[in-house]
């Protein structure tokens, strides 16, 4: 799969609210979906990932859900804090592939 | 461990000049990657090297060449720089195929005038 669409491009939420970012992919063979966070001026870093054999994965305030039928996956951040402000990238790849293709990114702003 | 190290961090070129971005990792990773990041366009894969001795094109390879010098080092060369190549370039590496965390360098900001 070499096409992943990410929405929205920007997202502004009040501190304490939830934020949801959605990505869609085109190739049904894709089976690994990571999310990366990039703070201003820094390098992207992995925050959570999911494989296609599970529908949801949680890690404290962040979770990722996967809908294989609809070919989309989402990042959920609950109880947002100002330090969650960053650009978030989804990505996808598949077995036998070394390529990791990223979405266009979502700039999240958490207002205090 | 330094992780993934890129040099230079900043570079200004004139159109038509050439330059090489250097990348080295000390994590004994097999796969290495070069991405470019432009506003609103995310991270786009330029070239990658699945293992020492192999290189393959990514999404946007035109205007670039790469060399996997050894397991640690993966360089990106611009033979004749163009203003459209103004971008932030990230080198990255990971240990295994498909899954596994991609570790990024700090980035190299290139401006082509």
């Amino acid at each position: 799969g070499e096409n992943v669409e990410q929405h929205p491009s920007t997202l502004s939420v009040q501190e304490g609210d939830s934020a949801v970012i959605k990505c869609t992919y085109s190739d049904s063979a894709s089976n690994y979906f990571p999310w990366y966070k990039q703070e201003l001026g820094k390098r992207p870093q992995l925050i959570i990932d999911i494989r296609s054999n599970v529908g949801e994965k949680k890690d404290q305030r962040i979770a990722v859900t996967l809908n294989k039928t609809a070919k989309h996956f989402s990042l959920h951040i609950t109880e947002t804090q100002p330090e969650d402000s960053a650009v978030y990238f989804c990505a996808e790849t598949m077995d036998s592939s070394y390529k990791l293709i990223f979405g266009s990114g979502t700039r999240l702003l958490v207002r205090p | 461990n330094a992780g993934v190290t890129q040099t230079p961090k900043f570079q200004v070129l004139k159109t038509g000049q050439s330059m090489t971005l250097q990348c080295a990792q000390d994590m004994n990773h097999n796969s290495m990657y070069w991405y470019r990041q432009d506003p609103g366009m995310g991270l786009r894969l330029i070239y990658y090297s699945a293992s020492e001795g192999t290189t393959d094109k990514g999404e946007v390879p035109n205007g670039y060449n790469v060399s996997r010098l050894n397991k640690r080092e993966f360089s990106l060369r611009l033979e004749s720089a163009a203003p459209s190549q103004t971008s932030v370039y990230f080198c990255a590496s990971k240990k295994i195929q498909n899954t596994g965390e991609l570790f990024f360098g700090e980035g190299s900001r290139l401006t082509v005038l």
Side-chain angles (χ1 to χ4, degrees):
Chain A
E2 295 195 14
N3 184 24
V4 56
E5 295 187 1
Q6 182 170 347
H7 300 280
S9 57
T10 60
L11 180 60
S12 179
V13 300
Q14 194 71 37
E15 182 177 357
D17 288 349
S18 295
V20 181
I21 303 169
K22 182 177 177 179
C23 288
T24 59
Y25 60 99
S26 57
D27 194 330
S28 57
S30 297
N31 63 355
Y32 175 65
F33 307 94
W35 286 89
Y36 284 75
K37 175 184 180 181
Q38 184 181 29
E39 297 178 353
L40 187 63
K42 297 192 176 180
R43 72 191 84 188
Q45 291 187 296
L46 178 70
I47 54 171
I48 194 168
D49 56 11
I50 191 168
R51 289 193 64 88
S52 60
N53 57 347
V54 297
E56 183 176 7
K57 184 177 179 181
K58 289 183 179 180
D59 183 3
Q60 298 184 336
R61 294 187 298 107
I62 61 173
V64 57
T65 58
L66 172 64
N67 183 326
K68 290 175 58 179
T69 303
K71 296 195 187 72
H72 67 71
F73 56 109
S74 300
L75 178 70
H76 305 254
I77 307 174
T78 58
E79 300 173 22
T80 53
Q81 301 169 3
E83 52 264 37
D84 295 329
S85 295
V87 178
Y88 291 82
F89 294 98
C90 64
E92 59 90 14
T93 188
M94 65 181 76
D95 288 341
S96 78
S97 174
Y98 290 89
K99 292 194 286 188
L100 189 63
I101 303 300
F102 286 87
S104 55
T106 297
R107 183 174 298 277
L108 173 65
L109 174 64
V110 180
R111 306 186 306 273
Chain B
N1 287 348
V4 179
T5 304
Q6 293 179 231
T7 56
K9 289 186 170 48
F10 300 94
Q11 184 72 49
V12 179
L13 291 176
K14 294 181 180 179
T15 296
Q17 288 185 318
S18 62
M19 77 158 298
T20 300
L21 295 173
Q22 307 285 355
C23 175
Q25 52 90 11
D26 61 2
M27 297 175 283
N28 199 34
H29 285 173
N30 294 310
S31 303
M32 297 187 72
Y33 303 78
W34 277 104
Y35 286 89
R36 60 177 288 174
Q37 183 173 27
D38 304 293
M41 301 192 75
L43 294 156
R44 291 184 292 169
L45 181 62
I46 305 171
Y47 270 94
Y48 67 100
S49 171
S51 60
E52 185 178 355
T54 69
T55 60
D56 285 285
K57 295 178 180 179
E59 302 168 275
V60 288
N62 292 346
Y64 304 94
N65 286 302
V66 290
S67 295
R68 184 73 183 266
L69 304 170
N70 47 54
K71 189 171 185 178
R72 292 186 62 248
E73 299 173 287
F74 187 41
S75 63
L76 178 71
R77 183 160 178 84
L78 287 69
E79 290 291 351
S80 179
S84 61
Q85 294 178 304
T86 293
S87 188
V88 178
Y89 292 85
F90 284 97
C91 178
S93 70
K94 65 175 177 173
K95 190 167 185 60
I96 58 174
Q97 177 183 350
N98 76 319
T99 58
E101 182 173 358
L102 196 59
F103 290 85
F104 286 87
E106 292 184 319
S108 299
R109 183 175 293 276
L110 175 64
T111 301
V112 183
L113 303 174

